[in-house]
Amino acid sequence: MSIIRSKELVHEYIRRDEEGNVESIQTALDHVNLSVEPGQFISILGHNGSGKSTFAKHINALLTPSEGTIWVDEMNTSDDEYTFAVRQTAGMVFQNPDNQIIASVVDEDVAFGPENIGVPTEEILVRVDKSLKMVGMQKYRNHSPNKLSGGQKQRVAIAGVMAMEPKCIILDEPTAMLDPDGRADVLRAVHTLNREKGITVILITHYMEEVVDSDYVFVMEKGKVFMEGTPREIFKDVELLKEHSLDVPQVTLLAHELRKAGLQIPECILTRKELLDALSKLNLKRKASGVSEGFKVSEDTKSFGENVLILDHVSYKYSPGTAYEVTALDDVNLSIKEGEFIGVIGHTGSGKSTLVQHLNGLIKATEGHIYYRGQDIYDKDFDIKDLRTQVGMVFQYPEHQLFETTVFKDVQFGPKNQGLDEKEQIKRAYEALGLVKLPEELYLASPFELSGGQKRRAAIAGVIAMKPAVLILDEPTAGLDPKGRDDILGLIKDMHEKRGDTVILVSHSMEDVANYVDRIIVMDSGRPAFDGTPKEVFAHYKELEKMGLAAPQVTYVMNDLIEAGFDVDASATTVAEATESILKALN
Amino acid sequence: MLREITLGQYYPAKSILHSLDPRVKLFSTLVFIITLFSVDNVVLFAIVLVTLFGIIKMSHVPFSFMVKGLRSIVVLLIIAGLFNLFLTPGITIFSFGFLTISDVGLKNAVLMTSRMILLIIGTSVMTLTTTPNQLTDGLEKSLGFLKKVNVPVHEISMMMSIALRFIPILIEETDKIMKAQMARGADFESGGLIKKAKNMVPLLVPLFVSAFRRANDLSYAMEARCYNGGEGRTKMRPLKYSSLDQRAYICIVAYIIIFYAVKVVL
């Protein structure tokens, strides 16, 4: 007996004008048929707007079908009588950790569900205890959610669902807003629930690595299930997935490339171990001694211009002189050269965002000096407003800063503040919108009508329009799906190449950064721990792991191979480089 | 800069005050405020002051936390103090040019500012030792009788507790959007009143949009967890008076009697 079963499920979002006439109909779900067996770990993949979140809301009876039926534990969700029973059977965890915690203390929030369904008092306490233990958050039961990290908040949200003792838990992109550490913690908690308590899990995500361990995968596109099967069956067709710009784990991609090059490797490799086993069977060149030789790929060292920004012994403390003093930056010395493309990496709280906010004077260092083109930015006669136009800053989730009535006017905001005349403002806005490749018919639309990816581009254009010499982007790909992420990163690279400006990209995704930047600065506890080319930095992959960061998957594969005694290049950081190196090692 | 407001910030600790029933704390705060405004001589003032400091000592909350709440009203305090000091007629005790200080003025100024300071500290003792949820629970139960005249007490208290939960989040958000717009050259400081108000648009519009988005998300999250108003709801920690609360009520009554006895006698 299936726990969830949908038959010809259709959902239409209908927009009406003020008189109630239908203005437009958008089909979010288009005759979806699927079923989930009790105890399974299911993943649903798909782009933003593919209908996966809409489907999740149907399982929870937050939405009801326009056509067709969905049954949860044999209860028809359209039947009002069952609404609460359905929600109790299939609990739901949402994407944004902040927006689903209702109470101001952790345990009161976990109790919210059981209170609503009228569980007796003594029983609530037992359930809260149990649920917090399941997700490893019992230590925090008296804490305020505001003081928790994103990953911890998501685990509280999971505990909140578990306290209602559901049979099934639906997680709608629970890790989209988290850093790698938080993501791992949340996934571990979910897997434990599935394994030990037999809870059916439906994980909606666009991170492929999260899918690998599930029992069954549904891939959705345009409101339809367009692929389904075990992870192995899904990732078999790498070309098809790529065509639909869905990501594939790097290991799988590497195996696929090697197979294409004619190597005898089984189809569809999902883990490092599988790849290592497959490659071990091949006749790869062995090293004379097992010791790695370090870097072999001679890097073409690019030459850069003058120093644009210099940080000289910069320290920053939050609430200095109080008991709550936190050192966010600790004696940082850095120089940034004209034309460099830099990645700043670090986990949440490592000081990376604080660091970049110093560069345009939004935060003033408690100690030390910052020089922009040789001038001390803390000098009395230094024009800090001018600096902000020279060093452009795109914040995390920049689309949240859009405010004007049209996209075009919003992009004009920066140039207008610079005091440029109207003609120049318009010219700048046009150029910037062109650079971010936003379709021209959207220029006069309201920024709030755009899709997520489009909004982000419009917001980035708003900063570029000021023609900054240095462009800083704080997590520009956060919350985007793989396609949106590739688009934005490609765009940034294009702009960098076309205009030759200095770009600083803040991120916690090593894989994103490795493919694009010339130099990586790794921040840890307020200091730059490593600073060098991607190859130099990723050679320290073991230390990086200790900092809660991870090198790209291929770096691990290459090091696995070296440890097994093969003669490959340890410094390969991209799939293409790894493929080349492995093929070279082939006798 | 905006992060330091303590409003609705619960300070977790183990103390008698933390374990008291919120209704006791609400009632005692009310009593405290009434007595504070009945103070008209030094002895009474001393009684209020000593009681307050005794309570603060019992709360196990660092004193600096309570003073923090004062920072936001410093300007108000100074203005109110100065007005009282210079503009109250009475016997002149000091004069400098057109500025004169009268005896009544001096007394009023001191009384006024110290009352305000104690008021803020006294109420923050309550908010620091009571979670916003307990507080709203307390209000909900104390005002429960209003339900009979169709006042949606449960809904109001739910709204209050949600508001309290989201204040720190929205403050942080304001800080972020402000910085983002400043990075685009926005200016929130200079200019006259009208220009300043106009300059707030790039801050307020995104803030409202964000608040609506959060409200929408939250309503889904609440529904998903079977929220359906106050009917049939149970509580993890239902409000029940313990012997501790009874003793607390006795203390409060004793305090009232002592205070007004002294007031009548002097």
Side-chain angles (χ1 to χ4, degrees):
Chain A
M1 200 175 72
S2 308
I3 184 148
I4 291 158
R5 192 158 48 93
S6 77
K7 204 176 146 203
E8 301 295 324
L9 182 63
V10 176
H11 190 87
E12 285 165 343
Y13 288 108
I14 301 171
R15 250 173 79 161
R16 291 175 195 274
D17 60 16
E18 278 147 22
E19 278 117 46
N21 303 316
V22 175
E23 216 170 45
S24 67
I25 299 179
Q26 194 199 346
T27 310
L29 291 175
D30 189 1
H31 300 277
V32 174
N33 291 301
L34 59 78
S35 65
V36 175
E37 301 310 313
Q40 277 190 320
F41 194 113
I42 302 291
S43 296
I44 301 182
L45 282 173
H47 293 303
N48 291 341
S50 62
K52 54 193 199 312
S53 289
T54 307
F55 185 71
K57 290 197 178 106
H58 275 273
I59 306 177
N60 199 259
L62 288 172
L63 294 175
T64 47
S66 312
E67 266 174 57
T69 326
I70 176 163
W71 292 271
V72 174
D73 207 17
E74 299 301 307
M75 292 177 282
N76 186 338
T77 62
S78 313
D79 196 335
D80 288 342
E81 198 187 319
Y82 293 134
T83 305
F84 290 104
V86 165
R87 288 180 186 159
Q88 209 177 317
T89 310
M92 183 146 170
V93 175
F94 297 83
Q95 180 180 14
N96 190 321
D98 276 324
N99 297 357
Q100 58 183 316
I101 293 183
I102 293 115
S104 307
V105 184
V106 167
D107 65 349
E108 285 181 12
D109 187 71
V110 177
F112 183 74
E115 286 179 343
N116 288 336
I117 52 179
V119 176
T121 300
E122 313 77 58
E123 166 91 14
I124 297 180
L125 284 166
V126 176
R127 286 193 188 190
V128 169
D129 263 340
K130 225 167 58 183
S131 313
L132 281 171
K133 223 169 263 164
M134 277 183 215
V135 296
M137 289 295 292
Q138 67 271 40
K139 263 198 295 186
Y140 298 93
R141 65 175 300 161
N142 294 322
H143 283 236
S144 152
N146 292 330
K147 302 259 152 70
L148 302 181
S149 73
Q152 289 172 330
K153 282 182 212 164
Q154 285 302 56
R155 282 188 283 153
V156 170
I158 294 172
V161 170
M162 290 314 295
M164 293 165 62
E165 303 194 329
K167 291 185 182 163
C168 171
I169 176 167
I170 309 141
L171 301 108
D172 189 3
E173 299 191 30
T175 58
M177 298 174 84
L178 308 182
D179 65 359
D181 260 3
R183 272 172 61 186
D185 286 344
V186 168
L187 281 178
R188 207 174 305 124
V190 175
H191 274 286
T192 314
L193 291 178
N194 175 249
R195 237 184 357 254
E196 289 171 12
K197 310 278 166 195
I199 305 283
T200 312
V201 174
I202 297 171
L203 176 69
I204 296 171
T205 182
H206 40 232
Y207 291 113
M208 292 295 160
E209 308 89 64
E210 296 178 358
V211 172
V212 173
D213 298 319
S214 46
D215 298 320
Y216 205 76
V217 183
F218 294 97
V219 185
M220 290 192 67
E221 195 172 86
K222 295 192 182 121
K224 287 194 167 95
V225 174
F226 104 104
M227 270 171 108
E228 61 176 289
T230 60
R232 218 164 280 278
E233 285 161 6
I234 298 287
F235 291 128
K236 200 150 64 182
D237 211 341
V238 174
E239 295 298 325
L240 181 67
L241 287 170
K242 268 190 178 164
E243 239 170 69
H244 291 265
S245 28
L246 286 159
D247 251 358
V248 182
Q250 274 197 328
V251 179
T252 312
L253 198 59
L254 178 58
H256 176 76
E257 291 295 323
L258 290 171
R259 240 176 86 83
K260 258 204 326 210
L263 260 63
Q264 292 290 321
I265 294 181
E267 236 177 15
C268 187
I269 299 243
L270 291 182
T271 65
R272 271 156 62 191
K273 192 167 171 308
E274 285 172 16
L275 183 60
L276 187 64
D277 289 348
L279 286 171
S280 302
K281 290 198 192 101
L282 299 177
N283 199 11
L284 280 182
K285 214 187 299 176
R286 296 220 166 237
K287 220 163 246 168
S289 67
V291 189
S292 156
E293 282 169 32
F295 317 117
K296 281 204 308 191
V297 176
S298 64
E299 299 205 35
D300 15 286
T301 34
K302 286 189 205 168
S303 54
F304 296 103
E306 295 284 297
N307 283 333
V308 199
L309 280 159
I310 297 176
L311 279 77
D312 181 25
H313 295 285
V314 171
S315 293
Y316 182 75
K317 291 185 175 111
Y318 283 105
S319 359
T322 67
Y324 303 93
E325 186 176 296
V326 180
T327 307
L329 288 182
D330 185 10
D331 195 28
V332 176
N333 292 300
L334 279 177
S335 54
I336 290 158
K337 292 195 172 64
E338 188 114 50
E340 271 188 311
F341 194 163
I342 300 180
V344 177
I345 296 187
H347 64 83
T348 312
S350 61
K352 57 185 196 306
S353 292
T354 313
L355 174 75
V356 293
Q357 286 181 31
H358 274 83
L359 301 181
N360 67 350
L362 280 174
I363 299 183
K364 192 171 183 296
T366 29
E367 264 173 71
H369 293 273
I370 296 174
Y371 300 92
Y372 177 74
R373 294 194 197 281
Q375 275 179 294
D376 189 338
I377 67 166
Y378 299 139
D379 259 358
K380 268 196 203 112
D381 48 357
F382 187 84
D383 185 357
I384 203 99
K385 232 181 135 182
D386 183 54
L387 176 73
R388 288 193 187 137
T389 68
Q390 294 295 317
V391 181
M393 173 98 189
V394 179
F395 274 81
Q396 212 173 349
Y397 300 104
E399 58 274 24
H400 293 177
Q401 74 193 31
L402 298 172
F403 71 97
E404 270 290 3
T405 46
T406 68
V407 172
F408 199 83
K409 271 194 197 163
D410 205 286
V411 176
Q412 237 179 302
F413 181 65
K416 201 164 111 195
N417 287 330
Q418 280 177 292
L420 299 170
D421 63 58
E422 183 133 10
K423 217 171 131 197
E424 181 67 16
Q425 287 172 26
I426 290 171
K427 193 171 146 245
R428 291 276 189 95
Y430 254 115
E431 274 175 20
L433 284 165
L435 275 169
V436 298
K437 300 194 180 106
L438 204 69
E440 216 159 303
E441 61 268 24
L442 294 177
Y443 287 8
L444 294 176
S446 156
F448 301 107
E449 281 169 10
L450 308 186
S451 76
Q454 289 169 339
K455 271 188 206 167
R456 188 155 301 184
R457 286 185 205 198
I460 291 175
V463 176
I464 298 172
M466 304 196 302
K467 284 203 174 167
V470 180
L471 182 63
I472 304 169
L473 302 110
D474 193 353
E475 308 261 5
T477 62
L480 292 181
D481 61 8
K483 187 174 182 305
R485 181 200 62 203
D486 292 345
D487 285 355
I488 292 280
L489 288 172
L491 208 73
I492 295 167
K493 193 176 167 67
D494 264 10
M495 279 189 302
H496 171 70
E497 276 163 7
K498 247 183 237 157
R499 314 198 324 167
D501 47 6
T502 315
V503 177
I504 300 173
L505 189 68
V506 180
S507 176
H508 47 228
S509 165
M510 294 284 188
E511 274 153 35
D512 287 359
V513 169
N515 288 327
Y516 295 97
V517 303
D518 309 312
R519 172 181 167 195
I520 290 180
I521 298 169
V522 179
M523 292 296 291
D524 187 43
S525 320
R527 282 167 171 275
F530 299 108
D531 182 353
T533 61
K535 290 184 199 319
E536 284 164 9
V537 170
F538 292 142
H540 300 281
Y541 70 104
K542 282 187 180 145
E543 287 108 308
L544 290 175
E545 206 159 70
K546 273 183 212 143
M547 292 174 197
L549 299 168
Q553 255 190 333
V554 282
T555 308
Y556 288 99
V557 172
M558 299 314 265
N559 281 288
D560 284 349
L561 286 170
I562 289 169
E563 267 169 43
F566 296 111
D567 185 21
V568 291
D569 178 11
S571 63
T573 51
T574 61
V575 172
E577 284 171 7
T579 314
E580 196 188 326
S581 161
I582 293 174
L583 289 177
K584 240 198 274 172
L586 214 68
N587 285 338
Chain B
M1 52 190 155
L2 282 167
R3 291 176 188 200
E4 287 163 8
I5 298 176
T6 53
L7 184 76
Q9 293 285 45
Y10 172 66
Y11 183 91
K14 280 209 168 76
S15 78
I16 299 172
L17 248 59
H18 282 79
S19 47
L20 276 180
D21 190 292
R23 285 169 293 178
V24 178
K25 285 185 262 188
L26 279 168
F27 178 65
S28 58
T29 309
L30 190 69
V31 170
F32 173 76
I33 294 171
I34 293 170
T35 51
L36 183 62
F37 282 90
S38 324
V39 165
D40 52 11
N41 63 51
V42 184
V43 183
L44 288 177
F45 189 74
I47 294 177
V48 173
L49 202 67
V50 168
T51 317
L52 181 62
F53 275 91
I55 288 170
I56 290 172
K57 200 83 197 144
M58 272 174 10
S59 73
H60 293 200
V61 178
F63 187 64
S64 61
F65 249 84
M66 310 191 174
V67 183
K68 246 192 205 169
L70 288 176
R71 225 179 283 171
S72 48
I73 60 150
V74 164
V75 180
L76 188 71
L77 274 180
I78 293 173
I79 293 173
L82 290 179
F83 267 85
N84 269 300
L85 192 60
F86 293 118
L87 300 177
T88 319
I91 305 159
T92 305
I93 49 170
F94 179 81
S95 101
F96 180 81
F98 64 96
L99 295 172
T100 50
I101 298 174
S102 71
D103 59 342
V104 189
L106 185 66
K107 198 181 142 205
N108 279 2
V110 172
L111 201 63
M112 171 86 180
T113 37
S114 47
R115 255 185 202 157
M116 297 263 268
I117 292 170
L118 292 185
L119 180 71
I120 298 285
I121 294 179
T123 44
S124 62
V125 171
M126 176 178 71
T127 52
L128 284 163
T129 59
T130 320
T131 69
N133 270 34
Q134 285 173 338
L135 208 61
T136 47
D137 270 5
L139 278 173
E140 187 182 345
K141 199 124 185 200
S142 311
L143 303 177
F145 61 91
L146 288 176
K147 258 185 224 163
K148 293 200 182 89
V149 285
N150 283 336
V151 179
V153 179
H154 167 77
E155 281 72 15
I156 291 171
S157 86
M158 181 54 85
M159 285 196 289
M160 272 173 58
S161 69
I162 288 172
L164 286 169
R165 149 105 181 95
F166 277 87
I167 283 170
I169 293 175
L170 288 178
I171 286 173
E172 210 165 292
E173 181 122 13
T174 310
D175 198 44
K176 218 189 87 182
I177 296 172
M178 231 165 140
K179 274 187 184 160
Q181 304 297 25
M182 272 156 74
R184 290 211 279 166
D187 187 351
F188 295 110
E189 271 124 36
S190 62
L193 198 64
I194 293 170
K195 190 158 175 266
K196 249 186 184 164
K198 232 177 132 188
N199 287 348
M200 293 305 261
V201 172
L203 175 64
L204 292 178
V205 172
L207 205 56
F208 271 104
V209 172
S210 145
F212 280 120
R213 193 185 51 239
R214 285 181 193 281
N216 189 41
D217 281 6
L218 190 73
S219 68
Y220 270 130
M222 289 173 70
E223 274 191 51
R225 282 159 80 185
C226 297
Y227 180 70
N228 189 28
E231 281 312 302
R233 242 181 144 243
T234 48
K235 294 259 171 186
M236 173 167 68
R237 296 197 184 91
L239 294 179
K240 254 188 260 157
Y241 285 125
S242 64
S243 59
L244 187 71
D245 298 315
Q246 286 162 5
R247 269 179 279 160
Y249 271 125
I250 294 170
C251 292
I252 296 167
V253 172
Y255 167 76
I256 298 173
I257 293 170
I258 294 171
F259 183 87
Y260 284 100
V262 173
K263 194 175 156 79
V264 171
V265 171
L266 290 180

